[in-house]
Amino acid sequence: MAKAKVAYVCDDCGVEHPKWQGQCSACGKWNTLREFTLQRAAAGSGASVAGSGYSGAPPEVARLAEVETAALARMPTGMHELDRVLGGGFVPGSVVLIGGDPGAGKSTLLLQVAAAISGREPMLYVSGEESLQQIADRARRLSLPLDDLLVAVETRVEAIAELAQKHPPSAIVVDSIQVMHAESAGSVPGSVVQVRESAALLTRLAKQTLTTVILVGHVTKEGNLAGPKVLEHMIDCFVMLDSPAGTRFRTLRSQKNRFGAVNELGVFAMTETGLKEVANPSAIFLQRPKEMSPGSVVTVTWEGTRPLLVELQALVDESRSGYPRRIAVGLDPQRIGMHLAALHRHCGLSLSDQDVFANVVGGVRITETGADLATVLAVLSSFQNRVLPRNLVCFGELGLTGEVRAVPNGQERLREAQKHGFVQAIVPRANLAKDPVPGIDVKGVTSLKQTLEAVEALG
């Protein structure tokens, strides 16, 4: 009997190695290689989903100019915030992966969506982690319509394909991909090879039948998606549901989307009747106290296709050790060090003996550079123990040479700030609009030194 071939796959990047080693040579992560046994695929198994009845058509070649195109008829989810993140709804034949921490509300959100869609489109909800009684109990607790939604408890992807053939749905929810297994893959459920093969079979099912497949994925303790990194490359859309500690709000962000904007943000609130969308997210992140304190500044960040007002807070304190700390939550810590160096080089302000802490209120993560100016002003406000005006908003990118650069969608950001009652703004001069926004006094700056002078002029 031929000896079974063994391979070692990195959990983080999905690269295979011929033998085990402590560090992955592709991504550099340690202790991420997992062993699995390679098995020969049965003859003809690559042409169809085993046991499903869906046979792969013979390969064809067509001229690109002769291929007919049509507008994608999206399937609305019934939730405006979710539709925004997806780019307008589910696309037929697409594979959507929703990840998140345990208890974030992934299953609750998808059960709500499945129940809403089932009233107008055939919908199949497959769970490998809950019984039918548990699903029904949760649906009744959330007061969801139960008449049209089809549910099943199954962990074999071949059986799921057979159910899709017997009861053709417009969309299938699979909760979760980590507990699914394919009979053609000789490994235990949850292993690297099983997650990859199960996702591949479900992806093939989606493309052959134009059925939308929504997968639920768990995350590791580091906050990354569990399973091989190649899983993110196989699917069409990947969204992450975050649940900041100590709050009932949930943020849904798209990290990959072939049919919409990336980094689009949706905000939900967890209630007794499930997840409710928040129509005005800026309002929940601007719950500031009546008595303002030093170190607080409001900025307008751009999330996907809309502006969002958030509060930045900074705390500067004398360091008790020889190595001052630079800690940022919701911001890039490396940019904090760059801003402090720019302050010292161009404004003569040294914080080399100070601990600097920065935080974005509400658990929002800012990845764009438009928050640079607000971060610097928050640090200076705390360092000088000076309270900035409550009705002040600022945004802009700070360069290493001390210049303040323009950011995209400056006019829309100012309109959003004015709508929430802000009457003063400090922005890059290049973002000054030809038609001023009524009700808000905007000061344009070109350098960090001018920014400090504009703050001094505010009184």
Short mmCIF file of all heavy atoms in Angstrom, two decimals, residues 246-303:
data_model
loop_
_atom_site.label_atom_id
_atom_site.label_comp_id
_atom_site.label_asym_id
_atom_site.label_seq_id
_atom_site.Cartn_x
_atom_site.Cartn_y
_atom_site.Cartn_z
N GLY A 246 -17.93 46.16 26.56
CA GLY A 246 -18.65 47.10 27.40
C GLY A 246 -19.67 47.96 26.68
O GLY A 246 -20.14 48.96 27.24
N THR A 247 -20.04 47.61 25.47
CA THR A 247 -21.03 48.39 24.74
C THR A 247 -21.98 47.46 24.00
O THR A 247 -21.62 46.32 23.68
CB THR A 247 -20.35 49.34 23.73
OG1 THR A 247 -21.35 50.02 22.97
CG2 THR A 247 -19.46 48.57 22.78
N ARG A 248 -23.17 47.94 23.75
CA ARG A 248 -24.17 47.13 23.05
C ARG A 248 -24.13 47.37 21.54
O ARG A 248 -24.88 46.74 20.80
CB ARG A 248 -25.57 47.44 23.57
CG ARG A 248 -26.04 48.86 23.31
CD ARG A 248 -27.35 49.14 24.03
NE ARG A 248 -27.85 50.48 23.75
CZ ARG A 248 -28.73 50.79 22.82
NH1 ARG A 248 -29.21 49.83 22.05
NH2 ARG A 248 -29.12 52.02 22.62
N PHE A 249 -23.27 48.25 21.09
CA PHE A 249 -23.19 48.55 19.67
C PHE A 249 -22.27 47.58 18.96
O PHE A 249 -21.29 47.08 19.53
CB PHE A 249 -22.71 49.99 19.45
CG PHE A 249 -23.67 51.03 19.96
CD1 PHE A 249 -23.41 51.72 21.13
CD2 PHE A 249 -24.85 51.30 19.28
CE1 PHE A 249 -24.29 52.66 21.62
CE2 PHE A 249 -25.74 52.24 19.76
CZ PHE A 249 -25.46 52.92 20.93
N ARG A 250 -22.60 47.28 17.71
CA ARG A 250 -21.80 46.39 16.87
C ARG A 250 -21.47 47.14 15.58
O ARG A 250 -22.31 47.84 15.02
CB ARG A 250 -22.57 45.11 16.52
CG ARG A 250 -23.08 44.35 17.73
CD ARG A 250 -21.93 43.70 18.50
NE ARG A 250 -22.43 42.79 19.53
CZ ARG A 250 -22.65 43.14 20.79
NH1 ARG A 250 -22.44 44.40 21.17
NH2 ARG A 250 -23.07 42.26 21.67
N THR A 251 -20.25 46.97 15.10
CA THR A 251 -19.83 47.59 13.85
C THR A 251 -19.54 46.49 12.84
O THR A 251 -18.85 45.52 13.14
CB THR A 251 -18.58 48.46 14.04
OG1 THR A 251 -17.52 47.67 14.58
CG2 THR A 251 -18.89 49.62 14.96
N LEU A 252 -20.08 46.64 11.65
CA LEU A 252 -19.89 45.69 10.56
C LEU A 252 -19.10 46.38 9.46
O LEU A 252 -19.56 47.37 8.90
CB LEU A 252 -21.25 45.21 10.03
CG LEU A 252 -21.22 44.08 8.99
CD1 LEU A 252 -20.75 42.78 9.63
CD2 LEU A 252 -22.59 43.89 8.36
N ARG A 253 -17.90 45.86 9.17
CA ARG A 253 -17.01 46.51 8.21
C ARG A 253 -16.64 45.52 7.10
O ARG A 253 -16.30 44.36 7.39
CB ARG A 253 -15.74 47.01 8.89
CG ARG A 253 -14.82 47.81 7.96
CD ARG A 253 -13.53 48.18 8.68
NE ARG A 253 -13.77 49.05 9.81
CZ ARG A 253 -13.84 50.37 9.73
NH1 ARG A 253 -13.70 50.96 8.55
NH2 ARG A 253 -14.05 51.10 10.80
N SER A 254 -16.69 45.98 5.86
CA SER A 254 -16.30 45.15 4.73
C SER A 254 -14.80 45.26 4.52
O SER A 254 -14.27 46.36 4.37
CB SER A 254 -17.05 45.58 3.47
OG SER A 254 -16.72 46.92 3.14
N GLN A 255 -14.12 44.11 4.53
CA GLN A 255 -12.68 44.08 4.31
C GLN A 255 -12.32 43.62 2.90
O GLN A 255 -11.20 43.82 2.46
CB GLN A 255 -12.03 43.16 5.35
CG GLN A 255 -12.26 43.63 6.78
CD GLN A 255 -11.46 42.84 7.78
OE1 GLN A 255 -10.64 42.00 7.43
NE2 GLN A 255 -11.68 43.11 9.06
N LYS A 256 -13.27 43.01 2.22
CA LYS A 256 -13.11 42.65 0.82
C LYS A 256 -14.49 42.62 0.19
O LYS A 256 -15.42 42.06 0.78
CB LYS A 256 -12.43 41.28 0.67
CG LYS A 256 -12.37 40.79 -0.78
CD LYS A 256 -11.86 39.37 -0.88
CE LYS A 256 -11.90 38.89 -2.32
NZ LYS A 256 -11.42 37.50 -2.48
N ASN A 257 -14.61 43.22 -0.99
CA ASN A 257 -15.91 43.23 -1.66
C ASN A 257 -15.70 43.43 -3.16
O ASN A 257 -15.25 44.49 -3.59
CB ASN A 257 -16.81 44.34 -1.11
CG ASN A 257 -18.26 44.18 -1.52
OD1 ASN A 257 -18.58 43.35 -2.37
ND2 ASN A 257 -19.14 44.96 -0.93
N ARG A 258 -15.97 42.39 -3.91
CA ARG A 258 -15.83 42.48 -5.36
C ARG A 258 -16.97 43.24 -6.02
O ARG A 258 -16.90 43.56 -7.20
CB ARG A 258 -15.77 41.07 -5.97
CG ARG A 258 -14.48 40.34 -5.65
CD ARG A 258 -14.52 38.91 -6.12
NE ARG A 258 -13.25 38.22 -5.89
CZ ARG A 258 -13.07 36.92 -5.92
NH1 ARG A 258 -14.10 36.13 -6.20
NH2 ARG A 258 -11.90 36.39 -5.69
N PHE A 259 -18.02 43.52 -5.27
CA PHE A 259 -19.20 44.17 -5.84
C PHE A 259 -19.55 45.47 -5.12
O PHE A 259 -20.67 45.96 -5.27
CB PHE A 259 -20.40 43.22 -5.80
CG PHE A 259 -20.10 41.85 -6.33
CD1 PHE A 259 -19.99 40.77 -5.47
CD2 PHE A 259 -19.92 41.63 -7.68
CE1 PHE A 259 -19.72 39.50 -5.94
CE2 PHE A 259 -19.65 40.37 -8.17
CZ PHE A 259 -19.55 39.30 -7.31
N GLY A 260 -18.64 46.03 -4.36
CA GLY A 260 -18.94 47.26 -3.63
C GLY A 260 -17.68 47.86 -3.04
O GLY A 260 -16.56 47.42 -3.31
N ALA A 261 -17.89 48.89 -2.21
CA ALA A 261 -16.77 49.61 -1.61
C ALA A 261 -16.17 48.82 -0.46
O ALA A 261 -16.87 48.14 0.29
CB ALA A 261 -17.25 50.98 -1.11
N VAL A 262 -14.85 48.92 -0.33
CA VAL A 262 -14.14 48.30 0.78
C VAL A 262 -14.09 49.30 1.94
O VAL A 262 -14.11 50.51 1.74
CB VAL A 262 -12.73 47.87 0.34
CG1 VAL A 262 -11.98 47.19 1.48
CG2 VAL A 262 -12.80 46.96 -0.86
N ASN A 263 -14.02 48.78 3.17
CA ASN A 263 -13.98 49.58 4.39
C ASN A 263 -15.30 50.30 4.65
O ASN A 263 -15.33 51.27 5.42
CB ASN A 263 -12.83 50.58 4.38
CG ASN A 263 -11.50 49.94 4.67
OD1 ASN A 263 -11.43 48.93 5.37
ND2 ASN A 263 -10.44 50.49 4.11
N GLU A 264 -16.37 49.87 4.00
CA GLU A 264 -17.69 50.41 4.32
C GLU A 264 -18.08 49.98 5.72
O GLU A 264 -17.78 48.86 6.15
CB GLU A 264 -18.71 49.92 3.31
CG GLU A 264 -20.06 50.61 3.39
CD GLU A 264 -19.99 52.05 2.97
OE1 GLU A 264 -19.91 52.33 1.77
OE2 GLU A 264 -20.03 52.91 3.88
N LEU A 265 -18.73 50.86 6.46
CA LEU A 265 -19.05 50.61 7.86
C LEU A 265 -20.55 50.67 8.09
O LEU A 265 -21.23 51.59 7.62
CB LEU A 265 -18.36 51.65 8.76
CG LEU A 265 -18.53 51.47 10.27
CD1 LEU A 265 -17.76 50.26 10.75
CD2 LEU A 265 -18.07 52.71 11.01
N GLY A 266 -21.06 49.66 8.80
CA GLY A 266 -22.45 49.64 9.25
C GLY A 266 -22.49 49.51 10.76
O GLY A 266 -21.67 48.80 11.35
N VAL A 267 -23.43 50.19 11.39
CA VAL A 267 -23.52 50.20 12.86
C VAL A 267 -24.86 49.64 13.28
O VAL A 267 -25.91 50.02 12.74
CB VAL A 267 -23.32 51.63 13.41
CG1 VAL A 267 -23.34 51.61 14.94
CG2 VAL A 267 -22.01 52.23 12.90
N PHE A 268 -24.81 48.73 14.26
CA PHE A 268 -26.01 48.10 14.79
C PHE A 268 -25.99 48.19 16.32
O PHE A 268 -24.94 48.40 16.93
CB PHE A 268 -26.09 46.62 14.38
CG PHE A 268 -26.15 46.39 12.90
CD1 PHE A 268 -24.98 46.32 12.15
CD2 PHE A 268 -27.36 46.24 12.26
CE1 PHE A 268 -25.02 46.12 10.79
CE2 PHE A 268 -27.42 46.03 10.89
CZ PHE A 268 -26.24 45.96 10.15
N ALA A 269 -27.15 48.03 16.90
CA ALA A 269 -27.29 48.00 18.35
C ALA A 269 -27.94 46.67 18.74
O ALA A 269 -28.96 46.28 18.15
CB ALA A 269 -28.13 49.16 18.85
N MET A 270 -27.34 45.98 19.70
CA MET A 270 -27.88 44.71 20.17
C MET A 270 -28.98 44.98 21.19
O MET A 270 -28.75 45.61 22.23
CB MET A 270 -26.78 43.85 20.78
CG MET A 270 -27.26 42.52 21.32
SD MET A 270 -27.96 41.45 20.04
CE MET A 270 -26.44 40.87 19.27
N THR A 271 -30.19 44.48 20.89
CA THR A 271 -31.34 44.66 21.77
C THR A 271 -31.93 43.29 22.11
O THR A 271 -31.44 42.25 21.65
CB THR A 271 -32.40 45.54 21.10
OG1 THR A 271 -32.94 44.85 19.96
CG2 THR A 271 -31.80 46.87 20.65
N GLU A 272 -32.99 43.29 22.89
CA GLU A 272 -33.64 42.04 23.27
C GLU A 272 -34.30 41.36 22.07
O GLU A 272 -34.54 40.15 22.09
CB GLU A 272 -34.69 42.30 24.36
CG GLU A 272 -34.08 42.78 25.68
CD GLU A 272 -35.14 43.01 26.73
OE1 GLU A 272 -36.34 42.90 26.38
OE2 GLU A 272 -34.78 43.30 27.88
N THR A 273 -34.60 42.13 21.04
CA THR A 273 -35.24 41.57 19.85
C THR A 273 -34.27 41.47 18.68
O THR A 273 -34.68 41.46 17.52
CB THR A 273 -36.45 42.43 19.45
OG1 THR A 273 -36.02 43.79 19.24
CG2 THR A 273 -37.52 42.39 20.52
N GLY A 274 -32.96 41.40 18.98
CA GLY A 274 -31.97 41.22 17.94
C GLY A 274 -31.21 42.49 17.62
O GLY A 274 -31.24 43.47 18.38
N LEU A 275 -30.52 42.47 16.49
CA LEU A 275 -29.71 43.61 16.07
C LEU A 275 -30.59 44.63 15.35
O LEU A 275 -31.31 44.29 14.40
CB LEU A 275 -28.58 43.16 15.15
CG LEU A 275 -27.43 42.39 15.82
CD1 LEU A 275 -26.49 41.81 14.78
CD2 LEU A 275 -26.66 43.30 16.76
N LYS A 276 -30.51 45.87 15.80
CA LYS A 276 -31.24 46.97 15.17
C LYS A 276 -30.22 47.93 14.57
O LYS A 276 -29.24 48.29 15.20
CB LYS A 276 -32.10 47.70 16.21
CG LYS A 276 -33.10 46.81 16.93
CD LYS A 276 -34.13 46.22 15.98
CE LYS A 276 -35.15 45.36 16.72
NZ LYS A 276 -36.13 44.72 15.81
N GLU A 277 -30.48 48.34 13.33
CA GLU A 277 -29.55 49.25 12.67
C GLU A 277 -29.64 50.64 13.26
O GLU A 277 -30.72 51.10 13.66
CB GLU A 277 -29.82 49.28 11.17
CG GLU A 277 -31.26 49.51 10.78
CD GLU A 277 -31.47 49.33 9.28
OE1 GLU A 277 -30.48 49.47 8.55
OE2 GLU A 277 -32.60 49.06 8.86
N VAL A 278 -28.50 51.32 13.31
CA VAL A 278 -28.40 52.68 13.82
C VAL A 278 -28.40 53.62 12.63
O VAL A 278 -27.46 53.61 11.82
CB VAL A 278 -27.13 52.86 14.67
CG1 VAL A 278 -27.01 54.30 15.16
CG2 VAL A 278 -27.15 51.89 15.85
N ALA A 279 -29.43 54.45 12.52
CA ALA A 279 -29.57 55.31 11.35
C ALA A 279 -28.57 56.46 11.35
O ALA A 279 -28.12 56.89 10.30
CB ALA A 279 -31.00 55.86 11.28
N ASN A 280 -28.19 56.95 12.54
CA ASN A 280 -27.26 58.08 12.63
C ASN A 280 -26.08 57.69 13.52
O ASN A 280 -26.06 58.00 14.71
CB ASN A 280 -27.98 59.31 13.21
CG ASN A 280 -27.11 60.56 13.17
OD1 ASN A 280 -26.04 60.56 12.56
ND2 ASN A 280 -27.57 61.61 13.80
N PRO A 281 -25.08 56.99 12.97
CA PRO A 281 -23.97 56.51 13.79
C PRO A 281 -23.17 57.62 14.46
O PRO A 281 -22.63 57.43 15.54
CB PRO A 281 -23.10 55.74 12.80
CG PRO A 281 -23.99 55.43 11.64
CD PRO A 281 -24.94 56.57 11.57
N SER A 282 -23.07 58.79 13.81
CA SER A 282 -22.26 59.88 14.39
C SER A 282 -22.79 60.29 15.76
O SER A 282 -22.01 60.67 16.64
CB SER A 282 -22.25 61.08 13.44
OG SER A 282 -21.61 60.77 12.22
N ALA A 283 -24.11 60.21 15.95
CA ALA A 283 -24.69 60.66 17.21
C ALA A 283 -24.24 59.79 18.39
O ALA A 283 -24.00 60.29 19.49
CB ALA A 283 -26.21 60.67 17.11
N ILE A 284 -24.08 58.47 18.17
CA ILE A 284 -23.73 57.60 19.28
C ILE A 284 -22.26 57.73 19.66
O ILE A 284 -21.88 57.43 20.79
CB ILE A 284 -24.04 56.12 18.95
CG1 ILE A 284 -23.13 55.62 17.83
CG2 ILE A 284 -25.49 55.95 18.58
CD1 ILE A 284 -23.26 54.15 17.57
N PHE A 285 -21.42 58.20 18.73
CA PHE A 285 -20.01 58.37 19.04
C PHE A 285 -19.68 59.77 19.54
O PHE A 285 -18.53 60.07 19.81
CB PHE A 285 -19.16 58.08 17.79
CG PHE A 285 -19.30 56.67 17.29
CD1 PHE A 285 -19.72 56.42 16.00
CD2 PHE A 285 -19.04 55.59 18.12
CE1 PHE A 285 -19.85 55.12 15.53
CE2 PHE A 285 -19.18 54.29 17.67
CZ PHE A 285 -19.59 54.05 16.37
N LEU A 286 -20.68 60.63 19.65
CA LEU A 286 -20.46 61.99 20.12
C LEU A 286 -21.20 62.28 21.42
O LEU A 286 -21.67 63.40 21.63
CB LEU A 286 -20.90 62.98 19.04
CG LEU A 286 -20.04 63.03 17.77
CD1 LEU A 286 -20.59 64.03 16.79
CD2 LEU A 286 -18.59 63.34 18.10
N GLN A 287 -21.34 61.29 22.26
CA GLN A 287 -21.99 61.48 23.55
C GLN A 287 -20.96 62.03 24.54
O GLN A 287 -20.44 61.33 25.40
CB GLN A 287 -22.59 60.16 24.04
CG GLN A 287 -23.65 59.60 23.11
CD GLN A 287 -24.17 58.25 23.56
OE1 GLN A 287 -23.74 57.70 24.55
NE2 GLN A 287 -25.12 57.71 22.81
N ARG A 288 -20.66 63.31 24.39
CA ARG A 288 -19.62 63.95 25.18
C ARG A 288 -20.20 64.56 26.44
O ARG A 288 -21.36 64.99 26.48
CB ARG A 288 -18.93 65.03 24.34
CG ARG A 288 -18.51 64.55 22.97
CD ARG A 288 -18.01 65.68 22.12
NE ARG A 288 -16.66 66.06 22.46
CZ ARG A 288 -16.05 67.13 21.97
NH1 ARG A 288 -16.71 67.93 21.13
NH2 ARG A 288 -14.81 67.41 22.31
N PRO A 289 -19.42 64.64 27.53
CA PRO A 289 -19.93 65.23 28.77
C PRO A 289 -20.10 66.74 28.63
O PRO A 289 -19.52 67.39 27.75
CB PRO A 289 -18.82 64.89 29.79
CG PRO A 289 -17.59 64.71 28.96
CD PRO A 289 -18.04 64.12 27.67
N LYS A 290 -20.92 67.32 29.51
CA LYS A 290 -21.15 68.76 29.46
C LYS A 290 -19.89 69.53 29.83
O LYS A 290 -19.60 70.57 29.25
CB LYS A 290 -22.31 69.13 30.42
CG LYS A 290 -23.65 68.56 30.00
CD LYS A 290 -24.75 69.00 30.95
CE LYS A 290 -26.11 68.45 30.51
NZ LYS A 290 -27.20 68.88 31.43
N GLU A 291 -19.14 69.01 30.79
CA GLU A 291 -17.89 69.66 31.19
C GLU A 291 -16.75 69.03 30.40
O GLU A 291 -16.37 67.89 30.63
CB GLU A 291 -17.67 69.50 32.70
CG GLU A 291 -18.70 70.20 33.56
CD GLU A 291 -18.63 71.71 33.44
OE1 GLU A 291 -17.52 72.22 33.13
OE2 GLU A 291 -19.65 72.37 33.64
N MET A 292 -16.20 69.81 29.46
CA MET A 292 -15.14 69.30 28.62
C MET A 292 -13.81 69.24 29.38
O MET A 292 -13.57 70.01 30.30
CB MET A 292 -14.98 70.18 27.38
CG MET A 292 -16.19 70.16 26.45
SD MET A 292 -16.49 68.50 25.82
CE MET A 292 -14.98 68.24 24.90
N SER A 293 -12.96 68.30 28.99
CA SER A 293 -11.66 68.10 29.61
C SER A 293 -10.57 68.22 28.56
O SER A 293 -10.83 68.03 27.36
CB SER A 293 -11.59 66.72 30.29
OG SER A 293 -12.60 66.58 31.27
N PRO A 294 -9.34 68.49 28.95
CA PRO A 294 -8.24 68.55 27.99
C PRO A 294 -8.03 67.19 27.32
O PRO A 294 -8.25 66.14 27.93
CB PRO A 294 -7.03 68.95 28.84
CG PRO A 294 -7.62 69.59 30.05
CD PRO A 294 -8.92 68.90 30.31
N GLY A 295 -7.61 67.21 26.07
CA GLY A 295 -7.30 65.98 25.37
C GLY A 295 -8.43 65.43 24.53
O GLY A 295 -8.32 64.31 24.03
N SER A 296 -9.51 66.17 24.31
CA SER A 296 -10.66 65.70 23.55
C SER A 296 -10.84 66.55 22.30
O SER A 296 -10.93 67.78 22.40
CB SER A 296 -11.92 65.73 24.41
OG SER A 296 -13.06 65.41 23.65
N VAL A 297 -10.90 65.91 21.14
CA VAL A 297 -11.11 66.58 19.86
C VAL A 297 -12.02 65.71 19.00
O VAL A 297 -11.93 64.48 19.05
CB VAL A 297 -9.78 66.83 19.11
CG1 VAL A 297 -10.02 67.52 17.78
CG2 VAL A 297 -8.83 67.65 19.95
N VAL A 298 -12.88 66.35 18.20
CA VAL A 298 -13.77 65.63 17.29
C VAL A 298 -13.21 65.76 15.87
O VAL A 298 -12.78 66.84 15.44
CB VAL A 298 -15.20 66.19 17.35
CG1 VAL A 298 -16.07 65.56 16.27
CG2 VAL A 298 -15.80 65.93 18.72
N THR A 299 -13.22 64.66 15.15
CA THR A 299 -12.79 64.65 13.76
C THR A 299 -13.86 63.99 12.91
O THR A 299 -14.77 63.33 13.44
CB THR A 299 -11.45 63.90 13.60
OG1 THR A 299 -10.98 64.07 12.25
CG2 THR A 299 -11.62 62.42 13.87
N VAL A 300 -13.75 64.17 11.60
CA VAL A 300 -14.67 63.55 10.65
C VAL A 300 -13.87 62.57 9.81
O VAL A 300 -13.04 62.96 9.00
CB VAL A 300 -15.34 64.60 9.73
CG1 VAL A 300 -16.46 63.94 8.92
CG2 VAL A 300 -15.88 65.76 10.54
N THR A 301 -14.11 61.30 10.02
CA THR A 301 -13.43 60.26 9.25
C THR A 301 -14.34 59.78 8.13
O THR A 301 -15.56 59.90 8.21
CB THR A 301 -13.03 59.09 10.15
OG1 THR A 301 -12.33 58.10 9.39
CG2 THR A 301 -14.24 58.45 10.80
N TRP A 302 -13.72 59.27 7.07
CA TRP A 302 -14.49 58.80 5.92
C TRP A 302 -14.50 57.28 5.93
O TRP A 302 -13.47 56.64 5.81
CB TRP A 302 -13.89 59.32 4.62
CG TRP A 302 -14.80 59.15 3.46
CD1 TRP A 302 -14.76 58.17 2.52
CD2 TRP A 302 -15.91 59.98 3.10
NE1 TRP A 302 -15.77 58.32 1.61
CE2 TRP A 302 -16.50 59.43 1.94
CE3 TRP A 302 -16.47 61.13 3.67
CZ2 TRP A 302 -17.61 60.00 1.34
CZ3 TRP A 302 -17.59 61.68 3.06
CH2 TRP A 302 -18.14 61.13 1.91
N GLU A 303 -15.68 56.71 6.10
CA GLU A 303 -15.85 55.27 6.19
C GLU A 303 -16.61 54.76 4.97
O GLU A 303 -17.83 54.90 4.90
CB GLU A 303 -16.59 54.88 7.48
CG GLU A 303 -15.86 55.25 8.76
CD GLU A 303 -14.61 54.43 8.96
OE1 GLU A 303 -14.47 53.38 8.31
OE2 GLU A 303 -13.76 54.83 9.77
#
